[in-house]
Amino acid sequence: MARIVQKYGGTSVGSVERIQHVASRIERAVQAGNELVVVVSAMGKSTDELVSLANQITDTPSKREMDMLLTTGEQVTISLLSMALQARGIDAISLTGWQAGMKTEASHGNARIEAINNERMEAELAQGKVVIVAGFQGISEDGEITTLGRGGSDTTAVALAASLKASRCDIYTDVEGVYTTDPRYVKKARKLHSISYDEMLEMANLGAGVLHPRAVEFAKNYDVPLMVASSMEDTVGTMIEEEVTMEQNLIIRGIAFENDVTKVTVSGLPNRLNTLSKLFTTLSENQVNVDIIIQNQYDDKHVNISFSITQSSLKETLAVLQEAQEELQFEDVTFEEELAKVSIVGSGMVSNPGVAAKMFDVLAKNEIFVKMVSTSEIKVSVVVDEADMVLAVEMLHEEFQLAEETEEAAVTV
Ligand code: ADP
Ligand code: ASP
Ligand code: MG
């Protein structure tokens, strides 16, 4: 008997019919002799709808009350799915995050899982029940309900799989697996047979919303075999694993992208040893999350520093900088909105110089201006105008031959 954790996302449980469909899939897995723990998200777009309700009340809802509100979404799904299973004669029980022993740090909106107390789940499983757990939620030491960040049900599922020593964790969603890039934007995107934990982690962090980054981190740290597959079709999905054997020689595995990027430039800063540290300490002390940083010196005494942030943190960032202008001694702040970040990801890059050059060449040929660049061993990211984002992804997908299977895709640069 195998112990399996399955997770179904919002679209996959978006209606009563879809919940019934999920129930029939669970029924099949139970009849095949498996022990099942199932994590579900809120139905359809209901988390967004709850956020919108809060915004109709106030622009500044307290984070605690937001968590209280958003966690209700998952609670609707767990109870309905449990009922659907019981109606089929399958013994099932729904558990909220705290009933399932999901302990998190005491912070609202984006809490990290600290520990899982399996006792209740083990007891229910021992009685032969299917355990249905609400994704994306937990409880802090002081008894407060917390959430794990948008998309966090994936993390609930992988963390449970690790903690319950499940033989695997299957993430069922509205696409057939992890693709070379988002198939909703690029028609030629190709489903990958497998992708390494590190590549998937980069893709997820760089905007590929198919998996929550912390879910991948957990899977890597605890060696959880992770699969992404369709909740609608019975097709083979994508394995996320340590060694990628099938497509080893791919230099670029995929392209991730995200919009809502804003570039802020602080100009006329004094050219001193501690300028960078003072600026970024000020920003971090005020919880401003900075991504790419560029510094350039324009005369002996002055430097300009540009950095990218998310669109939603612009107001706060400008306020922090204005407040600190005297202390930081800069002349001016400007910003550029409606930008996007496009990233090519692949572990083959480490040993293949020239990948970034090829990327810049493709973008230049298509008259796409690059405004910022950042690289790591396995990725190159560029910031471009949001209006150029999809074209950039399509052209890079084409030039790096990502639509083609394995060997042919081992492009030389
Ligand atoms: P769920 O509700 O099941 O968690 P999500 O919307 O969070 O589903 O994630 C699935 C979506 O991720 C897909 O519909 C797709 O648009 C998007 N996506 C982004 N990048 C990729 C990628 N590389 N491969 C597959 N899907 C991707
Ligand atoms: N319902 C939450 C969200 O929409 C969590 C999740 O779906 O993973 O972000
Ligand atoms: Mg998701």
Side-chain angles (χ1 to χ4, degrees), residues 197-216:
Y197 289 124
D198 287 337
E199 289 168 323
M200 191 62 235
L201 191 56
E202 285 281 11
M203 291 277 285
N205 274 320
L206 294 167
V210 64
L211 278 177
H212 195 236
R214 289 221 287 275
V216 187

Side-chain angles (χ1 to χ4, degrees), residues 347-358:
S347 45
M349 246 184 242
V350 185
S351 48
N352 283 280
V355 175
K358 178 167 171 144

Side-chain angles (χ1 to χ4, degrees), residues 134-148:
F136 164 69
Q137 56 179 259
I139 192 158
S140 66
E141 187 93 67
D142 45 2
E144 292 289 350
I145 289 179
T146 55
T147 58
L148 311 183

Side-chain angles (χ1 to χ4, degrees), residues 3-108:
R3 177 175 284 187
I4 301 169
V5 175
Q6 295 187 340
K7 179 254 169 179
Y8 293 90
T11 314
S12 309
V13 293
S15 64
V16 167
E17 292 71 34
R18 292 215 163 136
I19 289 177
Q20 291 289 14
H21 176 71
V22 167
S24 64
R25 293 179 61 108
I26 295 170
E27 186 173 24
R28 241 192 304 154
V30 170
Q31 280 165 354
N34 298 300
E35 208 176 27
L36 262 278
V37 174
V38 181
V39 174
V40 284
S41 292
M43 289 173 70
K45 300 247 169 277
S46 60
T47 310
D48 291 337
E49 284 154 17
L50 292 169
V51 171
S52 149
L53 279 180
N55 291 338
Q56 288 171 47
I57 303 262
T58 165
D59 281 343
T60 51
S62 92
K63 286 189 164 183
R64 178 191 187 275
E65 299 308 333
M66 273 315 272
D67 279 358
M68 197 59 107
L69 177 68
L70 297 193
T71 47
T72 62
E74 271 65 17
Q75 223 168 304
V76 171
T77 325
I78 52 170
S79 46
L80 292 177
L81 180 57
S82 187
M83 288 175 204
L85 288 167
Q86 289 166 3
R88 286 161 193 257
I90 297 168
D91 216 357
I93 183 164
S94 63
L95 299 176
T96 61
W98 69 266
Q99 288 176 313
M102 185 68 67
K103 304 262 195 306
T104 74
E105 62 184 3
S107 87
H108 289 291

